[in-house]
Amino acid sequence: MFGLRMVLRSLSKQFAKRSLIALTVALCATICVAMLGIVFDVGDKLNAELTTYGSNITVQPRADSVIDELYGTASGADAMSGSASSASDATHSQHSADNAADSSMQRRSETGGLTSIGDSEPTAADSAADGSNLLKESDAAKIKTIFWAYNITNFAPELNIHAQVALGKRDCMAKGSGCVSVPVMGTWFAKKLSLPTGETTVAGIQGMRSWWSIEGAWPKDQAQEALVGKDIAQALGLYVGSRMTMHKMAAGDHHSELVVTVVGIYDSHDGAAQQVIIPTGIAQELANLPDSVDRIEVKALTTPENDLARRAAKNPAALSREDWETWYCTAYPSSIAYQIEEVIPGAVAKQVRQVSALQGEVLQKTRTVMIVMTVLSLIAAAIAIANLMASSLAQRARELALLKAIGATDGAVIRLMLAETGIIAAVGAVIGALVGSGAAQLVGHVVFGSGITMRPMVFVLVAVLLTLTVLIASISSIRAIVRVQPAQVLHGR
């Protein structure tokens, strides 16, 4: 009881200095809670932000993957992978730009007639006699049955082929007709799937191309509708509502003809609006490849790679049992890709390394900045509290000397000072935690468009850090208390 009265009396007599200590702790707590709250949640936020820019895992037939690795060829997915060093990145970017420029040219015949638009290189599906070397579209939904199914936010199978587009009433099968070859992609737009678990989900590129500008509307799955790239629409004079006739000579001299209605024209804003996009069923009918796709784009929420994930990506079998279980049960891009390979026969799943590397680099830099700001705020708080306590101690030297003169031990006086500072610091910490939580939400909504999830661990960690900071700041005051000589202080010496 006596100690409590002493604490309350001290707080009332030195209210200004104690308030400054509380304010210092509150400001430090605000910064720590806000920064650490963001640090613990920024991974999911950045992941969600980056996945709005397309897939981060691609799935292709094993045969295509072997060819890519043997001969250094790259599919559209692999071309996004990037290189390990900055020099090779620059070279790769230059080559990609050159290839894009070449493929974007509109090719013309010797007589000046337009013969092809966009990439004219044959795809695996163009040369496939049947679908045996391709993936099955019906297997795509199995992606949502893996261990990390809830981390798969979207996916879309693709069948990439080339078709001849008839200009006017020309016959594309007639020699010298001058019809135009265009790249065609069959895919899902917003297809509703019924999963084995009894749940339903919607998958398709409509949710994976948020940066596209669409004039008109997205096609409906199973409808004979098309979404046409801006470049193709301009070259062929197509517009929303126009009808387009496509022809294809598939393997075995199988000729297919398809009439679709252009319901939308897209601009990808990257100079690659050079495809005709139609539902998979229609593309398969055109290519005479039922239930076949040559690629699946997957958008997943992943954990940035570390050394374990990089070792596993090279050879999962080389991991110890404990490391393998840790890797398999963590949402690394490589572990999700591995699990996709387990459920889709004949498939090779690869992470788009450019996206993964960007995510890891941005995340690491963001966390470093936040942690540095937290450390600097703790250092500043320790210096400020130490100075305020030293000033308070100088004013109370006679009071403390009197306590020691009447029998109070050094330990009792130190505990009294720490109790006073602890109460003030606790009040400041509570206020700072509340303000810091609000500041974190504000940053989350401004930067990421959603709130920050404040984990209990953040408050526990901040409490421990502030306690250590106050104790460290009190060391000089504690030493001063020990050195107080009652006789000298009370005699004014």
Side-chain angles (χ1 to χ4, degrees):
M1 182 64 72
F2 175 75
L4 180 59
R5 287 202 304 270
M6 289 288 295
V7 169
L8 294 177
R9 180 174 175 273
S10 173
L11 295 178
S12 61
K13 287 184 64 177
Q14 293 188 318
F15 182 77
K17 284 187 172 55
R18 298 304 183 183
S19 297
L20 287 175
I21 293 177
L23 180 61
T24 300
V25 174
L27 290 175
C28 181
T30 297
I31 295 173
C32 291
V33 168
M35 295 299 101
L36 293 179
I38 295 172
V39 163
F40 282 102
D41 199 50
V42 71
D44 293 340
K45 298 300 180 187
L46 281 177
N47 205 331
E49 189 76 12
L50 289 173
T51 53
T52 62
Y53 297 99
S55 59
N56 51 0
I57 296 175
T58 59
V59 186
Q60 64 183 119
R62 189 173 300 278
D64 286 356
S65 177
V66 171
I67 292 174
D68 289 347
E69 292 174 1
L70 285 176
Y71 299 103
T73 60
S75 65
D78 298 329
M80 298 171 62
S81 301
S83 306
S85 67
S86 58
S88 59
D89 276 28
T91 303
H92 176 80
S93 299
Q94 182 62 45
H95 289 170
S96 299
D98 293 340
N99 292 337
D102 290 340
S103 65
S104 65
M105 294 173 59
Q106 298 176 0
R107 292 164 178 80
R108 298 180 179 273
S109 65
E110 294 179 359
T111 60
L114 191 62
T115 60
S116 66
I117 302 175
D119 185 4
S120 60
E121 291 296 324
T123 65
D126 282 326
S127 56
D130 53 40
S132 59
N133 291 330
L134 302 176
L135 302 175
K136 292 187 178 297
E137 180 188 10
S138 55
D139 287 335
K142 294 179 180 178
I143 290 174
K144 289 292 286 184
T145 65
I146 66 173
F147 179 80
W148 288 108
Y150 289 105
N151 281 50
I152 305 294
T153 60
N154 208 339
F155 60 98
E158 301 174 4
L159 180 63
N160 294 280
I161 58 175
H162 286 83
Q164 298 288 324
V165 175
L167 299 175
K169 296 184 178 180
R170 296 181 182 180
D171 181 6
C172 281
M173 303 314 296
K175 184 176 180 180
S177 63
C179 291
V180 180
S181 174
V182 297
V184 177
M185 181 176 76
T187 189
W188 296 348
F189 294 97
K191 188 169 184 177
K192 186 175 182 180
L193 302 174
S194 297
L195 304 177
T197 59
E199 299 174 314
T200 60
T201 188
V202 176
I205 65 167
Q206 188 170 338
M208 302 173 70
R209 299 292 188 271
S210 60
W211 66 94
W212 282 10
S213 298
I214 306 294
E215 177 189 348
W218 288 89
K220 295 183 176 66
D221 292 291
Q222 307 302 328
Q224 290 196 223
E225 298 175 345
L227 183 68
V228 179
K230 181 185 69 173
D231 297 343
I232 291 180
Q234 290 175 348
L236 301 182
L238 298 173
Y239 53 89
V240 175
S242 61
R243 294 173 69 81
M244 179 173 57
T245 302
M246 293 188 293
H247 299 263
K248 183 171 179 59
M249 183 65 71
D253 293 332
H254 176 84
H255 171 241
S256 300
E257 178 179 317
L258 179 68
V259 179
V260 295
T261 301
V262 178
V263 297
I265 296 174
Y266 75 90
D267 184 2
S268 59
H269 302 289
D270 58 4
Q274 299 174 342
Q275 276 186 315
V276 175
I277 307 177
I278 57 179
T280 49
I282 299 174
Q284 291 162 3
E285 180 183 345
L286 188 64
N288 193 31
L289 295 170
D291 195 33
S292 299
V293 294
D294 62 357
R295 185 166 172 254
I296 304 175
E297 287 191 37
V298 180
K299 185 167 72 171
L301 295 176
T302 59
T303 298
E305 285 192 313
N306 56 14
D307 181 63
L308 173 61
R310 284 187 284 271
R311 287 192 289 117
K314 294 179 181 178
N315 184 13
L319 299 177
S320 66
R321 181 176 181 82
E322 182 179 354
D323 285 346
W324 190 91
E325 290 179 353
T326 300
W327 168 74
Y328 191 89
C329 296
T330 305
Y332 297 120
S334 55
S335 64
I336 293 179
Y338 180 85
Q339 292 170 27
I340 291 174
E341 292 179 1
E342 288 182 318
V343 298
I344 299 184
V348 172
K350 298 180 179 180
Q351 57 178 307
V352 180
R353 293 193 177 275
Q354 192 174 23
V355 175
S356 299
L358 175 63
Q359 179 185 353
E361 183 180 351
V362 173
L363 181 60
Q364 184 63 36
K365 289 181 178 179
T366 303
R367 283 180 168 167
T368 300
V369 170
M370 301 292 182
I371 291 173
V372 168
M373 291 180 64
T374 301
V375 172
L376 290 177
S377 70
L378 290 170
I379 293 173
I383 295 172
I385 293 172
N387 288 331
L388 289 169
M389 289 186 68
S391 175
S392 174
L393 184 62
Q395 291 182 358
R396 299 177 61 190
R398 293 180 64 84
E399 177 186 345
L400 298 178
L402 181 60
L403 287 174
K404 295 180 72 171
I406 61 176
T409 62
D410 288 339
V413 177
I414 290 171
R415 286 194 296 273
L416 176 64
M417 292 293 294
L418 290 178
E420 295 173 1
T421 306
I423 292 173
I424 292 298
V427 173
V430 171
I431 296 173
L434 296 175
V435 177
S437 298
Q441 301 307 315
L442 179 61
V443 172
H445 283 286
V446 170
V447 178
F448 302 108
S450 61
I452 299 294
T453 301
M454 299 303 297
R455 294 168 170 80
M457 181 191 307
V458 171
F459 299 102
V460 174
L461 181 58
V462 170
V464 172
L465 291 174
L466 288 177
T467 300
L468 292 175
T469 299
V470 171
L471 289 176
I472 292 172
S474 303
I475 291 175
S476 60
S477 297
I478 292 172
R479 293 174 63 185
I481 292 172
V482 173
R483 291 197 299 266
V484 169
Q485 299 295 325
Q488 293 181 4
V489 172
L490 291 176
H491 284 83
R493 297 195 297 269

